[in-house]
Amino acid sequence: MFKWIKNIGPGTLVAAAFIGPGTVTMCTKAGVQFGYSLLWAMLLSIIATVVLQEMAARTGIVTQKGLAEVIKGQITSPLLRNIAIFLILGAIVIGNAAYEAGNISGATLGMQVFGKETAVFYPILIGIIAFIVLFIGNYKILERSLVALVLIMSISFLITAILTKPDIVAILKGTFTPSFPENSSLIIIGLIGTTVVPYNLFLHASLVKEKWKTKDDLSSARKDTMISIVLGGIVSIAIIVAATAIAGGNVDNALDLAKGLEPLYGENAKYLLGIGLFAAGITSAITAPLAAAYVAKSCFGWKASLKDNRFRAVWAIILILGVVFSSLEFKPLEVITFAQVANALLLPIVAIFLVWIVNKANVLGNYKNTLFQNILAICIILITIILGVKGIYTLF
């Protein structure tokens, strides 16, 4: 474990990205509204994330290219290539724009526990902070500090989940027995959307090739992915378990979310959660536009650095859209929920491209997918499509 911590890799960044304000919100709503009955959806999400992120990481290490660049290079027809680029850009840009609004709204929600009088300016302030960090390009120190705050929040939920003295039998039943309580469809696809994030697949493929250069490093990458995502999933499950302590209540603001921490922290719970939500939101508010810029760079073949004007233009558009949508008169939790649902609906598009690539021998050679990996991937895609269709049906 200490060796893994010393050689911490991109898997941890992926986990930190999905343990954001969306995770806190969706998991809390799942626990408040449905108790332990939707824990199976989180387990499914963890398995799906491990499977898909491993494929993305394997592609990045073996090819030493970004995922979008690999997909683009494997399509010979100019028409089909342009359609694929349009679909990828559309999926990531639309998903990240929605996700960015959720990130900024989550950070805003966190700031509101310290005062609501100037809340109208919070999205703009958060946007300015993210803009400065991205424009300078040296965001790692700040990101690590914010991830540390997210970990503090995560540990709090783990301890709280234990202190609420949960029903272990009920937890096991909810985890391994799928059920669909009335009006739970959007929450289920939201739980998947908050964990299996489409842009993380592209970001992971880009990050691993910076850290690992040879195929011999695949084992290290797999361990990094597995450990990081499973730990992140455990935290998400803990949030659901902790939230059952306020079952039957309404979740409208950060003070309501903080009730899950009150058994441990009392009145100070809202301040701890506020700091955690702000940390989770601002970290993801930086990562989402950055991932979109990496995708655009791969799709258009730019030889661009972080300071390239084209690269900056992409993340700036995503950031501005996030600020605008989060500033409109929607409840923050509604924006966050929409972001997670949008991600879940876009996931099958990205996953289909990924599975197609990892089955090509001319791309991955002996490292292409096995039959078992394909069965898992196809099952995941089918489940996300079914849940997505069910979610749309429920909406309309």
Side-chain angles (χ1 to χ4, degrees):
M1 179 62 74
F2 289 109
K3 184 178 180 182
W4 172 75
I5 293 174
K6 182 179 179 181
N7 298 295
I8 201 166
T12 305
L13 295 179
V14 170
F18 76 69
I19 305 177
T23 297
V24 178
T25 300
M26 293 305 303
C27 291
T28 301
K29 292 180 75 172
V32 168
Q33 296 178 25
F34 304 104
Y36 304 127
S37 62
L38 298 185
L39 285 174
W40 67 268
M42 183 51 62
L43 177 62
L44 173 65
S45 301
I46 296 166
I47 295 171
T49 304
V50 170
V51 171
L52 295 178
Q53 294 293 161
E54 187 279 330
M55 293 179 188
R58 182 166 19 113
T59 302
I61 292 174
V62 174
T63 65
Q64 288 294 297
K65 294 178 181 178
L67 184 56
E69 185 180 355
V70 175
I71 294 172
K72 177 183 172 184
Q74 290 302 305
I75 303 177
T76 56
S77 168
L79 176 61
L80 293 178
R81 186 188 305 123
N82 289 333
I83 291 174
I85 291 173
F86 174 78
L87 286 174
I88 292 171
L89 283 174
I92 300 303
V93 170
I94 293 172
N96 280 25
Y99 205 64
E100 187 68 355
N103 293 331
I104 294 174
S105 294
T108 299
L109 204 61
M111 294 178 71
Q112 285 181 4
V113 302
F114 298 100
K116 295 184 178 180
E117 296 77 9
T118 56
V120 67
F121 299 109
Y122 289 163
I124 298 174
L125 176 61
I126 293 163
I128 290 173
I129 294 172
F131 184 92
I132 292 173
V133 170
L134 283 166
F135 190 83
I136 293 173
N138 185 15
Y139 65 91
K140 291 184 178 179
I141 294 176
L142 175 60
E143 185 178 60
R144 287 169 183 168
S145 300
L146 295 173
V147 167
L149 290 172
V150 174
L151 288 174
I152 291 173
M153 178 187 66
S154 301
I155 292 170
S156 297
F157 274 117
L158 284 168
I159 297 174
T160 303
I162 295 171
L163 291 183
T164 57
K165 297 179 180 179
D167 184 338
I168 302 300
V169 174
I171 289 176
L172 292 174
K173 181 180 178 181
T175 302
F176 298 104
T177 307
S179 63
F180 297 85
E182 187 178 356
N183 299 321
S184 65
S185 296
L186 292 182
I187 296 295
I188 291 171
I189 63 174
L191 288 173
I192 294 174
T194 193
T195 309
V196 197
V197 185
Y199 82 74
N200 272 346
L201 297 171
F202 290 89
L203 186 62
H204 203 175
S206 296
L207 291 174
V208 292
K209 66 187 181 67
E210 299 297 332
K211 183 174 181 63
W212 294 299
K213 301 297 183 183
T214 69
K215 297 170 185 176
D216 294 334
D217 294 319
L218 279 171
S219 177
S220 297
R222 286 192 179 105
K223 289 177 183 177
D224 174 60
T225 301
M226 175 74 76
I227 295 173
S228 299
I229 293 172
V230 169
L231 288 177
I234 291 172
V235 170
S236 298
I237 288 174
I239 295 173
I240 295 176
V241 171
T244 60
I246 51 173
N250 293 318
V251 181
D252 294 318
N253 54 53
L255 296 179
D256 292 331
L257 291 177
K259 290 179 182 177
L261 287 175
E262 285 180 1
L264 179 61
Y265 295 105
E267 293 183 358
N268 292 327
K270 64 179 183 180
Y271 298 111
L272 180 70
L273 183 63
I275 293 172
L277 274 172
F278 174 77
I282 195 70
T283 303
S284 298
I286 293 169
T287 307
L290 188 65
Y294 273 124
V295 170
K297 175 183 174 181
S298 293
C299 285
F300 295 118
W302 298 338
K303 302 298 180 183
S305 66
L306 289 175
K307 296 183 179 181
D308 185 274
N309 288 334
R310 296 167 297 181
F311 193 88
R312 283 173 168 170
V314 175
W315 61 249
I317 291 172
I318 298 296
L319 184 58
I320 291 170
L321 286 174
V323 172
V324 170
F325 285 120
S326 63
S327 298
L328 296 177
E329 294 184 0
F330 293 117
K331 290 183 179 180
L333 294 190
E334 290 177 347
V335 178
I336 294 171
T337 301
F338 171 76
Q340 311 314 321
V341 173
N343 270 327
L345 296 179
L346 292 167
L347 176 62
I349 298 174
V350 178
I352 288 169
F353 275 118
L354 176 61
V355 173
W356 173 62
I357 284 297
V358 293
N359 275 284
K360 296 183 73 67
N362 64 324
V363 176
L364 294 182
N366 295 330
Y367 300 97
K368 69 176 185 176
N369 259 19
T370 63
L371 176 62
F372 179 67
Q373 288 172 320
N374 279 330
I375 291 173
L376 283 176
I378 292 171
C379 287
I380 290 166
I381 292 172
L382 289 176
I383 290 170
T384 55
I385 291 174
I386 292 170
L387 289 175
V389 171
K390 185 176 176 64
I392 293 174
Y393 177 79
T394 302
L395 280 173
F396 295 99

